[in-house]
Coordinates of all heavy atoms in Angstrom, one line a residue:
M1 N 0.8 -1.2 0.0 CA 0.0 0.0 0.0 C 0.9 1.3 0.0 O 1.8 1.4 0.7 CB -0.9 0.0 1.2 CG -2.2 0.6 1.0 SD -3.4 0.3 2.3 CE -4.6 1.6 1.9
A2 N 0.6 2.2 -0.9 CA 1.3 3.4 -1.0 C 1.2 4.2 0.3 O 0.1 4.3 0.9 CB 0.9 4.2 -2.2
R3 N 2.2 4.9 0.7 CA 2.2 5.7 1.9 C 1.4 7.0 1.5 O 1.6 7.6 0.5 CB 3.6 6.1 2.3 CG 3.6 6.6 3.8 CD 5.0 6.7 4.2 NE 5.7 7.9 3.6 CZ 5.7 9.1 4.1 NH1 5.2 9.3 5.3 NH2 6.3 10.1 3.5
R4 N 0.5 7.3 2.3 CA -0.3 8.6 2.1 C -0.2 9.5 3.2 O -0.1 9.1 4.4 CB -1.8 8.2 1.9 CG -2.0 7.5 0.6 CD -3.4 7.2 0.3 NE -3.6 6.7 -1.1 CZ -4.7 6.2 -1.6 NH1 -5.8 6.2 -0.9 NH2 -4.7 5.8 -2.8
I5 N -0.1 10.8 2.9 CA -0.1 11.8 3.9 C -1.5 11.9 4.5 O -2.5 11.9 3.8 CB 0.2 13.2 3.3 CG1 1.6 13.1 2.7 CG2 0.1 14.3 4.3 CD1 2.0 14.3 1.8
S6 N -1.6 11.8 5.8 CA -2.9 12.0 6.4 C -3.2 13.4 6.7 O -2.7 14.0 7.6 CB -3.0 11.1 7.6 OG -2.6 11.7 8.8
A7 N -4.0 14.0 5.8 CA -4.3 15.4 5.9 C -5.7 15.6 6.3 O -6.6 14.7 6.1 CB -4.0 16.1 4.5
A8 N -5.9 16.8 6.9 CA -7.3 17.2 7.2 C -7.9 17.9 6.0 O -7.2 18.0 4.9 CB -7.3 18.0 8.4
T9 N -9.1 18.5 6.2 CA -9.8 19.1 5.1 C -9.9 20.6 5.3 O -10.2 21.1 6.4 CB -11.2 18.5 4.9 OG1 -11.0 17.1 4.7 CG2 -11.9 19.1 3.8
A10 N -9.7 21.4 4.2 CA -10.1 22.8 4.2 C -11.1 22.9 3.0 O -10.8 22.4 2.0 CB -8.8 23.7 4.0
A11 N -12.1 23.7 3.3 CA -13.2 23.8 2.3 C -13.6 25.2 2.1 O -13.4 26.1 3.0 CB -14.4 22.9 2.7
T12 N -14.2 25.5 1.0 CA -14.7 26.8 0.7 C -16.0 27.1 1.5 O -16.4 28.3 1.7 CB -15.0 27.1 -0.8 OG1 -15.9 26.0 -1.2 CG2 -13.8 27.1 -1.6
G13 N -16.6 26.1 2.0 CA -17.8 26.2 2.9 C -17.9 25.1 3.8 O -17.2 24.1 3.8
S14 N -18.9 25.2 4.8 CA -19.1 24.1 5.6 C -20.6 24.1 6.1 O -21.3 25.1 5.9 CB -18.3 24.1 6.9 OG -18.6 25.2 7.7
W15 N -21.1 23.0 6.5 CA -22.4 22.9 7.0 C -22.4 21.8 8.1 O -21.5 21.1 8.3 CB -23.4 22.5 5.9 CG -23.1 21.1 5.4 CD1 -22.0 20.7 4.7 CD2 -24.0 19.9 5.5 NE1 -22.2 19.4 4.3 CE2 -23.3 18.9 4.8 CE3 -25.2 19.7 6.1 CZ2 -23.9 17.6 4.8 CZ3 -25.8 18.4 6.0 CH2 -25.1 17.4 5.4
T16 N -23.5 21.8 8.9 CA -23.6 20.8 10.0 C -24.6 19.8 9.6 O -25.8 20.1 9.3 CB -24.0 21.5 11.3 OG1 -23.0 22.5 11.6 CG2 -24.0 20.5 12.4
D17 N -24.2 18.5 9.5 CA -25.1 17.5 9.1 C -26.1 17.2 10.2 O -26.0 17.6 11.4 CB -24.4 16.3 8.5 CG -23.8 15.4 9.6 OD1 -24.1 15.6 10.8 OD2 -23.1 14.5 9.3
P18 N -27.1 16.3 9.9 CA -28.2 16.1 11.0 C -27.6 15.4 12.2 O -28.2 15.5 13.3 CB -29.1 15.1 10.3 CG -28.9 15.4 8.8 CD -27.5 15.7 8.6
D19 N -26.4 14.8 12.1 CA -25.8 14.2 13.3 C -25.0 15.3 14.1 O -24.3 14.9 15.1 CB -24.9 13.1 13.0 CG -25.7 12.0 12.2 OD1 -26.9 11.8 12.6 OD2 -25.1 11.3 11.3
G20 N -25.0 16.5 13.7 CA -24.2 17.5 14.3 C -22.8 17.5 14.0 O -21.9 18.2 14.6
F21 N -22.4 16.8 12.9 CA -21.0 16.8 12.5 C -20.7 17.8 11.5 O -21.5 18.0 10.5 CB -20.8 15.4 11.9 CG -19.4 15.0 11.6 CD1 -18.5 14.8 12.6 CD2 -19.0 14.9 10.3 CE1 -17.2 14.5 12.3 CE2 -17.6 14.6 10.0 CZ -16.7 14.4 11.0
R22 N -19.7 18.6 11.7 CA -19.4 19.7 10.8 C -18.7 19.1 9.6 O -17.7 18.4 9.7 CB -18.4 20.7 11.5 CG -18.5 22.1 10.9 CD -18.1 23.1 12.0 NE -17.5 24.3 11.3 CZ -16.2 24.4 11.3 NH1 -15.4 23.6 11.9 NH2 -15.7 25.5 10.6
S23 N -19.3 19.4 8.4 CA -18.8 18.8 7.2 C -18.5 19.8 6.2 O -19.0 20.9 6.2 CB -19.9 17.9 6.6 OG -20.3 16.9 7.6
P24 N -17.6 19.4 5.2 CA -17.2 20.4 4.2 C -18.2 20.6 3.1 O -19.0 19.7 2.9 CB -15.9 19.8 3.6 CG -16.1 18.3 3.9 CD -16.9 18.2 5.1
A25 N -18.2 21.7 2.5 CA -19.0 22.0 1.3 C -18.2 22.8 0.3 O -17.3 23.5 0.6 CB -20.3 22.8 1.8
G26 N -18.7 22.7 -0.9 CA -18.0 23.4 -2.0 C -16.7 22.7 -2.4 O -16.7 21.5 -2.6
E27 N -15.7 23.5 -2.6 CA -14.4 22.9 -3.0 C -13.6 22.5 -1.8 O -13.5 23.3 -0.9 CB -13.7 23.9 -4.0 CG -12.4 23.2 -4.5 CD -11.6 24.2 -5.4 OE1 -11.2 25.2 -5.0 OE2 -11.4 23.9 -6.6
V28 N -12.9 21.4 -1.9 CA -12.1 21.0 -0.7 C -10.6 20.9 -1.1 O -10.3 20.5 -2.3 CB -12.6 19.6 -0.1 CG1 -14.0 19.8 0.5 CG2 -12.6 18.5 -1.1
H29 N -9.8 21.2 -0.2 CA -8.4 21.0 -0.3 C -7.9 20.2 0.9 O -8.5 20.1 1.9 CB -7.7 22.4 -0.2 CG -7.9 23.3 -1.4 ND1 -7.1 23.4 -2.5 CD2 -9.0 24.1 -1.6 CE1 -7.6 24.3 -3.3 NE2 -8.8 24.7 -2.8
A30 N -6.7 19.6 0.7 CA -6.0 19.0 1.8 C -5.3 20.0 2.6 O -4.7 20.9 2.1 CB -5.1 17.9 1.3
W31 N -5.3 19.8 3.9 CA -4.6 20.7 4.8 C -4.0 20.0 6.0 O -4.7 19.1 6.5 CB -5.7 21.7 5.3 CG -5.3 22.5 6.5 CD1 -4.4 23.5 6.6 CD2 -5.9 22.4 7.8 NE1 -4.3 23.9 7.9 CE2 -5.3 23.3 8.7 CE3 -7.0 21.6 8.3 CZ2 -5.6 23.5 10.0 CZ3 -7.3 21.7 9.7 CH2 -6.6 22.7 10.5
L32 N -2.8 20.3 6.4 CA -2.2 19.7 7.5 C -2.4 20.6 8.7 O -2.1 21.8 8.7 CB -0.7 19.5 7.2 CG -0.3 18.5 6.1 CD1 1.2 18.6 5.9 CD2 -0.8 17.1 6.4
S33 N -2.9 20.0 9.8 CA -3.1 20.7 11.0 C -1.8 21.4 11.5 O -0.8 20.8 11.5 CB -3.6 19.7 12.1 OG -3.9 20.4 13.2
G34 N -2.0 22.6 11.9 CA -0.8 23.4 12.3 C -0.2 24.2 11.2 O 0.7 25.0 11.5
T35 N -0.6 24.1 10.0 CA -0.1 24.9 8.9 C -1.2 25.9 8.6 O -2.4 25.7 8.9 CB 0.3 24.1 7.7 OG1 -0.9 23.5 7.1 CG2 1.3 23.0 8.0
N36 N -0.8 27.0 7.8 CA -1.8 28.0 7.5 C -2.0 28.0 6.0 O -2.5 29.0 5.5 CB -1.5 29.3 8.1 CG -0.1 29.8 7.6 OD1 0.4 29.3 6.7 ND2 0.3 30.8 8.3
Q37 N -1.7 26.9 5.3 CA -2.0 26.9 3.9 C -2.3 25.5 3.5 O -2.0 24.5 4.2 CB -0.8 27.4 3.1 CG 0.5 26.6 3.2 CD 1.6 27.2 2.2 OE1 1.6 28.4 2.0 NE2 2.3 26.3 1.7
T38 N -2.9 25.3 2.3 CA -3.3 24.0 1.9 C -2.0 23.3 1.3 O -1.0 23.9 1.1 CB -4.3 24.1 0.8 OG1 -3.8 24.8 -0.4 CG2 -5.6 24.8 1.2
L39 N -2.2 22.0 1.0 CA -1.0 21.3 0.5 C -0.6 21.8 -0.9 O 0.5 21.7 -1.3 CB -1.3 19.8 0.4 CG -1.2 19.0 1.6 CD1 -1.4 17.5 1.3 CD2 0.1 19.2 2.3
C40 N -1.6 22.4 -1.6 CA -1.3 23.0 -2.9 C -0.8 24.4 -2.8 O -0.5 25.0 -3.8 CB -2.4 22.9 -3.9 SG -3.9 23.9 -3.4
G41 N -0.7 24.9 -1.6 CA 0.0 26.2 -1.4 C -1.0 27.4 -1.3 O -0.5 28.5 -1.4
V42 N -2.3 27.2 -1.2 CA -3.2 28.3 -1.1 C -3.3 28.7 0.4 O -3.5 27.9 1.3 CB -4.6 27.9 -1.5 CG1 -5.6 29.0 -1.3 CG2 -4.6 27.5 -3.0
P43 N -3.0 30.0 0.7 CA -3.1 30.5 2.1 C -4.6 30.4 2.5 O -5.5 30.9 1.8 CB -2.6 31.9 2.0 CG -2.0 32.0 0.7 CD -2.6 31.1 -0.2
L44 N -4.8 29.8 3.7 CA -6.2 29.5 4.1 C -6.9 30.9 4.3 O -8.1 31.0 3.9 CB -6.2 28.8 5.4 CG -5.7 27.3 5.3 CD1 -5.5 26.8 6.7 CD2 -6.6 26.5 4.5
A45 N -6.3 31.8 5.0 CA -6.9 33.1 5.3 C -7.3 33.8 4.0 O -8.4 34.4 3.9 CB -6.0 33.9 6.2
R46 N -6.3 33.9 3.1 CA -6.6 34.7 2.0 C -7.7 34.1 1.1 O -8.5 34.8 0.4 CB -5.3 34.9 1.1 CG -5.3 36.2 0.4 CD -3.9 36.4 -0.3 NE -3.7 35.5 -1.3 CZ -2.5 35.3 -1.9 NH1 -1.4 35.9 -1.5 NH2 -2.3 34.4 -2.9
A47 N -7.7 32.8 1.0 CA -8.7 32.1 0.2 C -10.0 31.9 1.0 O -11.0 31.4 0.4 CB -8.2 30.8 -0.3
Q48 N -10.1 32.4 2.2 CA -11.2 32.3 3.1 C -11.7 30.8 3.2 O -12.9 30.5 3.1 CB -12.4 33.2 2.6 CG -11.9 34.6 2.7 CD -13.1 35.6 2.5 OE1 -13.9 35.4 1.6 NE2 -13.2 36.6 3.3
L49 N -10.8 29.9 3.3 CA -11.1 28.5 3.5 C -11.4 28.2 4.9 O -10.8 28.7 5.8 CB -10.0 27.6 3.0 CG -9.7 27.7 1.5 CD1 -8.4 27.0 1.1 CD2 -10.8 27.2 0.6
T50 N -12.4 27.3 5.1 CA -12.7 26.9 6.5 C -11.9 25.6 6.8 O -11.8 24.7 6.0 CB -14.2 26.5 6.5 OG1 -15.0 27.6 6.1 CG2 -14.6 26.0 7.9
R51 N -11.3 25.6 8.0 CA -10.5 24.5 8.4 C -11.4 23.5 9.1 O -12.2 23.8 10.0 CB -9.4 24.9 9.4 CG -8.5 25.9 8.9 CD -7.7 26.5 10.1 NE -7.2 27.8 9.6 CZ -6.0 28.3 9.9 NH1 -5.2 27.6 10.7 NH2 -5.7 29.5 9.5
L52 N -11.3 22.2 8.6 CA -12.1 21.1 9.2 C -11.2 20.1 9.8 O -10.9 19.1 9.1 CB -13.1 20.6 8.2 CG -14.1 21.6 7.7 CD1 -14.5 21.4 6.3 CD2 -15.4 21.6 8.6
A53 N -10.6 20.4 10.9 CA -9.6 19.5 11.5 C -10.1 18.1 11.8 O -9.3 17.2 11.8 CB -9.0 20.2 12.7
G54 N -11.4 18.0 12.0 CA -11.9 16.7 12.3 C -12.3 15.8 11.1 O -12.8 14.7 11.3
V55 N -12.1 16.4 9.9 CA -12.5 15.7 8.7 C -11.3 15.3 7.9 O -10.6 16.1 7.3 CB -13.4 16.5 7.8 CG1 -13.8 15.7 6.6 CG2 -14.6 17.0 8.6
P56 N -10.9 14.0 7.9 CA -9.8 13.6 7.1 C -10.0 13.9 5.6 O -11.2 13.8 5.2 CB -9.7 12.1 7.3 CG -10.5 11.8 8.5 CD -11.5 12.9 8.6
F57 N -9.0 14.2 4.9 CA -9.2 14.6 3.5 C -9.9 13.5 2.7 O -10.7 13.8 1.8 CB -7.8 14.9 2.9 CG -7.8 15.4 1.5 CD1 -8.6 16.5 1.1 CD2 -7.1 14.8 0.5 CE1 -8.6 17.0 -0.2 CE2 -7.2 15.2 -0.8 CZ -7.9 16.3 -1.2
E58 N -9.6 12.3 3.0 CA -10.2 11.2 2.3 C -11.7 11.1 2.4 O -12.4 10.7 1.5 CB -9.7 9.8 2.7 CG -8.2 9.5 2.5 CD -7.4 9.8 3.7 OE1 -7.4 9.1 4.7 OE2 -6.7 10.9 3.7
E59 N -12.1 11.6 3.6 CA -13.6 11.6 3.9 C -14.3 12.7 3.1 O -15.5 12.7 3.1 CB -13.8 11.8 5.4 CG -13.4 10.6 6.2 CD -14.2 9.4 6.0 OE1 -15.5 9.5 6.1 OE2 -13.7 8.3 5.8
A60 N -13.6 13.6 2.6 CA -14.2 14.8 1.9 C -14.3 14.6 0.4 O -14.5 15.5 -0.3 CB -13.4 16.0 2.3
Q61 N -14.0 13.4 -0.1 CA -14.0 13.2 -1.5 C -15.3 12.5 -1.9 O -15.6 11.5 -1.4 CB -12.8 12.4 -1.9 CG -11.5 13.2 -1.8 CD -10.3 12.4 -1.9 OE1 -10.2 11.5 -2.8 NE2 -9.3 12.6 -1.1
P62 N -16.0 13.1 -2.9 CA -17.3 12.6 -3.2 C -17.3 11.1 -3.6 O -18.3 10.4 -3.3 CB -17.7 13.4 -4.5 CG -16.9 14.7 -4.3 CD -15.6 14.3 -3.6
A63 N -16.2 10.6 -4.2 CA -16.2 9.2 -4.6 C -16.0 8.2 -3.4 O -16.4 7.1 -3.4 CB -15.1 8.9 -5.6
T64 N -15.4 8.7 -2.3 CA -15.0 7.8 -1.2 C -15.6 8.2 0.1 O -15.7 7.4 1.0 CB -13.5 7.7 -1.1 OG1 -13.0 9.0 -0.8 CG2 -12.9 7.2 -2.4
G65 N -15.8 9.5 0.3 CA -15.9 10.0 1.7 C -17.4 9.9 2.2 O -18.3 10.0 1.4
N66 N -17.5 9.8 3.5 CA -18.8 9.8 4.1 C -19.2 11.2 4.5 O -20.3 11.5 4.9 CB -18.8 8.9 5.4 CG -18.5 7.5 5.0 OD1 -19.1 7.0 4.0 ND2 -17.7 6.8 5.8
A67 N -18.3 12.2 4.4 CA -18.5 13.5 4.8 C -18.6 14.4 3.6 O -18.4 15.6 3.7 CB -17.4 14.0 5.8
A68 N -18.9 13.9 2.4 CA -18.7 14.6 1.2 C -20.0 14.9 0.5 O -20.1 15.3 -0.7 CB -17.8 13.9 0.2
D69 N -21.1 14.9 1.3 CA -22.4 15.0 0.6 C -22.6 16.4 -0.1 O -23.3 16.5 -1.1 CB -23.5 14.9 1.7 CG -23.8 13.5 2.1 OD1 -23.1 12.6 1.6 OD2 -24.7 13.3 2.9
R70 N -21.9 17.4 0.4 CA -22.1 18.7 -0.2 C -20.8 19.2 -0.8 O -20.6 20.4 -1.1 CB -22.6 19.7 0.8 CG -23.9 19.3 1.4 CD -24.7 20.4 2.0 NE -25.9 19.9 2.5 CZ -26.8 20.6 3.2 NH1 -26.6 21.9 3.4 NH2 -27.9 20.1 3.6
V71 N -19.8 18.3 -1.0 CA -18.6 18.7 -1.7 C -18.9 18.7 -3.2 O -19.4 17.7 -3.7 CB -17.5 17.7 -1.4 CG1 -16.2 18.0 -2.2 CG2 -17.1 17.8 0.1
T72 N -18.5 19.8 -3.9 CA -18.8 19.9 -5.3 C -17.5 19.6 -6.1 O -17.6 19.1 -7.3 CB -19.3 21.2 -5.7 OG1 -18.4 22.2 -5.2 CG2 -20.7 21.5 -5.1
S73 N -16.3 19.9 -5.6 CA -15.1 19.6 -6.3 C -14.0 19.4 -5.3 O -14.0 19.9 -4.2 CB -14.8 20.7 -7.3 OG -14.6 21.9 -6.7
V74 N -13.0 18.6 -5.8 CA -11.8 18.4 -5.0 C -10.6 18.9 -5.8 O -10.5 18.7 -7.0 CB -11.6 16.8 -4.8 CG1 -10.4 16.5 -4.0 CG2 -12.9 16.3 -4.1
C75 N -9.7 19.6 -5.1 CA -8.6 20.2 -5.7 C -7.6 19.0 -6.2 O -7.2 18.2 -5.4 CB -7.8 21.0 -4.7 SG -6.2 21.6 -5.3
P76 N -7.4 19.0 -7.5 CA -6.6 17.9 -8.1 C -5.1 17.9 -7.6 O -4.5 16.9 -7.5 CB -6.7 18.1 -9.6 CG -7.1 19.5 -9.8 CD -7.9 19.9 -8.6
R77 N -4.6 19.1 -7.3 CA -3.2 19.2 -6.9 C -3.1 18.7 -5.4 O -2.1 18.1 -5.1 CB -2.8 20.7 -6.9 CG -2.4 21.1 -8.4 CD -1.8 22.5 -8.4 NE -2.8 23.4 -8.0 CZ -2.5 24.7 -7.7 NH1 -1.3 25.1 -7.8 NH2 -3.5 25.6 -7.4
C78 N -4.1 18.9 -4.6 CA -4.1 18.3 -3.3 C -4.3 16.8 -3.3 O -3.7 16.1 -2.5 CB -5.2 19.0 -2.4 SG -4.7 20.6 -1.9
L79 N -5.1 16.4 -4.3 CA -5.3 14.9 -4.4 C -3.9 14.3 -4.7 O -3.6 13.3 -4.1 CB -6.2 14.7 -5.6 CG -7.7 14.4 -5.3 CD1 -8.4 14.1 -6.6 CD2 -7.9 13.3 -4.3
S80 N -3.2 14.8 -5.7 CA -1.9 14.2 -6.0 C -0.9 14.4 -4.9 O -0.1 13.5 -4.7 CB -1.4 14.6 -7.4 OG -1.2 16.0 -7.4
A81 N -1.0 15.5 -4.2 CA -0.1 15.8 -3.1 C -0.2 14.8 -1.9 O 0.7 14.5 -1.2 CB -0.2 17.2 -2.6
T82 N -1.4 14.2 -1.8 CA -1.7 13.3 -0.7 C -1.5 11.8 -1.2 O -1.8 10.9 -0.5 CB -3.1 13.4 -0.1 OG1 -4.0 13.4 -1.2 CG2 -3.2 14.7 0.6
G83 N -1.1 11.7 -2.5 CA -0.9 10.3 -3.0 C -2.1 9.7 -3.7 O -2.0 8.5 -4.1
H84 N -3.1 10.4 -3.8 CA -4.3 9.9 -4.5 C -4.1 10.2 -6.0 O -3.6 11.2 -6.4 CB -5.6 10.6 -4.1 CG -5.9 10.3 -2.6 ND1 -6.7 9.2 -2.3 CD2 -5.5 10.9 -1.5 CE1 -6.8 9.2 -0.9 NE2 -6.1 10.3 -0.5
R85 N -4.7 9.2 -6.8 CA -4.6 9.5 -8.2 C -6.0 9.3 -8.8 O -6.8 8.4 -8.4 CB -3.7 8.5 -8.9 CG -2.4 9.2 -9.3 CD -1.5 8.2 -10.0 NE -0.5 7.6 -9.1 CZ 0.0 6.4 -9.4 NH1 -0.3 5.7 -10.4 NH2 0.9 5.9 -8.5
R86 N -6.4 10.2 -9.6 CA -7.7 10.2 -10.2 C -7.8 8.9 -11.0 O -7.0 8.6 -11.8 CB -7.8 11.4 -11.2 CG -9.1 12.0 -11.2 CD -9.0 13.3 -12.0 NE -9.1 14.5 -11.1 CZ -10.3 15.0 -10.8 NH1 -11.4 14.5 -11.2 NH2 -10.3 16.0 -10.0
G87 N -8.9 8.2 -10.8 CA -9.2 7.0 -11.6 C -8.4 5.8 -11.2 O -8.3 4.9 -11.9
E88 N -7.7 6.0 -10.1 CA -6.8 4.9 -9.7 C -7.6 3.6 -9.4 O -7.2 2.5 -9.6 CB -6.1 5.4 -8.4 CG -5.2 4.4 -7.7 CD -4.6 4.9 -6.4 OE1 -4.6 6.2 -6.3 OE2 -4.3 4.2 -5.6
R89 N -8.7 3.8 -8.8 CA -9.5 2.7 -8.4 C -11.0 3.1 -8.4 O -11.3 4.3 -8.1 CB -9.1 2.3 -7.0 CG -9.4 0.8 -6.7 CD -9.2 0.5 -5.2 NE -7.8 0.5 -4.9 CZ -7.4 0.3 -3.6 NH1 -8.3 0.1 -2.7 NH2 -6.1 0.3 -3.3
R90 N -11.9 2.2 -8.6 CA -13.3 2.5 -8.4 C -13.7 2.3 -7.0 O -13.7 1.2 -6.5 CB -14.1 1.6 -9.3 CG -14.2 2.0 -10.8 CD -15.3 3.0 -11.0 NE -15.1 3.7 -12.3 CZ -15.5 5.0 -12.5 NH1 -16.1 5.6 -11.6 NH2 -15.3 5.5 -13.6
W91 N -14.0 3.4 -6.3 CA -14.4 3.3 -4.9 C -15.9 3.2 -4.8 O -16.6 3.6 -5.7 CB -13.9 4.5 -4.2 CG -12.4 4.7 -4.0 CD1 -11.6 5.3 -4.9 CD2 -11.6 4.1 -3.0 NE1 -10.3 5.2 -4.4 CE2 -10.3 4.5 -3.3 CE3 -11.9 3.4 -1.9 CZ2 -9.2 4.2 -2.5 CZ3 -10.8 3.0 -1.1 CH2 -9.5 3.4 -1.4
Q92 N -16.2 2.5 -3.7 CA -17.7 2.5 -3.5 C -17.9 3.0 -2.1 O -17.1 2.8 -1.2 CB -18.2 1.1 -3.6 CG -18.4 0.6 -5.0 CD -19.1 -0.7 -5.0 OE1 -18.9 -1.6 -4.2 NE2 -19.9 -0.9 -6.0
R93 N -19.0 3.7 -1.9 CA -19.3 4.2 -0.6 C -19.6 3.0 0.3 O -20.3 2.1 -0.1 CB -20.6 5.0 -0.6 CG -20.3 6.5 -0.6 CD -21.6 7.2 -0.8 NE -21.3 8.5 -1.2 CZ -21.4 9.6 -0.4 NH1 -21.9 9.5 0.8 NH2 -21.1 10.8 -0.8
V94 N -19.1 3.0 1.5 CA -19.3 1.9 2.5 C -20.7 2.0 3.0 O -21.4 1.0 3.1 CB -18.3 2.0 3.6 CG1 -18.5 0.8 4.6 CG2 -16.8 1.8 3.0
N95 N -21.1 3.2 3.3 CA -22.4 3.4 3.9 C -23.3 4.4 3.1 O -23.4 5.5 3.4 CB -22.4 3.9 5.3 CG -21.7 2.9 6.3 OD1 -22.1 1.7 6.3 ND2 -20.7 3.3 7.0
P96 N -23.8 3.9 2.0 CA -24.6 4.8 1.2 C -25.8 5.4 1.9 O -26.4 4.6 2.6 CB -25.0 4.0 -0.1 CG -24.7 2.6 0.3 CD -23.8 2.5 1.5
R97 N -26.0 6.6 1.8 CA -27.2 7.2 2.4 C -28.4 7.1 1.5 O -28.3 7.2 0.3 CB -27.0 8.7 2.8 CG -25.8 8.8 3.7 CD -25.6 10.2 4.2 NE -24.3 10.3 5.0 CZ -24.0 11.3 5.6 NH1 -24.7 12.4 5.6 NH2 -22.8 11.3 6.3
P98 N -29.6 6.8 2.1 CA -30.8 6.7 1.3 C -31.1 7.9 0.5 O -30.8 9.0 0.9 CB -31.8 6.3 2.3 CG -31.3 6.7 3.6 CD -29.8 6.7 3.5
Ligands
LIG101 ZN1 -5.6 22.3 -3.2

């Protein structure tokens, strides 16, 4: 298994799901806790990105994540920076919501 950076999520928006879990919305980037920019080099403050320290970047991807219901796009540079590759594998949601 390839080594992957375990990054948190930064998003252009956020919402609280019915379980009270803060989830990303809009476009998501990978972000390492303790830094003030995304993995692709966007300063969080200047881009007005919301930090979601409790949401692993993998969980914020529409193809794989359980926290991605309102994510519209994923930054491709952050995807490759975390070791993910587009079309690498067909993922399936583990717990599809009705
Ligand atoms: Zn990015």
Side-chain angles (χ1 to χ4, degrees):
M1 213 168 165
R3 199 171 73 93
R4 289 185 172 173
I5 297 170
S6 88
T9 300
T12 52
S14 68
W15 65 292
T16 303
D17 79 6
D19 301 327
F21 189 70
R22 204 152 151 261
S23 300
E27 186 181 57
V28 294
H29 293 264
W31 163 68
L32 294 176
S33 183
T35 66
N36 58 13
Q37 64 176 34
T38 64
L39 280 189
C40 66
V42 175
L44 295 170
R46 208 173 68 194
Q48 298 190 316
L49 294 170
T50 302
R51 300 163 204 223
L52 295 149
V55 181
F57 184 57
E58 295 97 74
E59 293 288 311
Q61 292 170 41
T64 60
N66 296 318
D69 285 0
R70 299 200 183 178
V71 172
T72 55
S73 62
V74 179
C75 171
R77 284 185 296 170
C78 283
L79 265 184
S80 61
T82 51
H84 294 270
R85 258 184 262 153
R86 217 170 252 275
E88 174 186 340
R89 203 190 290 181
R90 281 271 162 211
W91 291 92
Q92 284 190 323
R93 257 175 202 253
V94 178
N95 294 308
R97 296 186 189 187

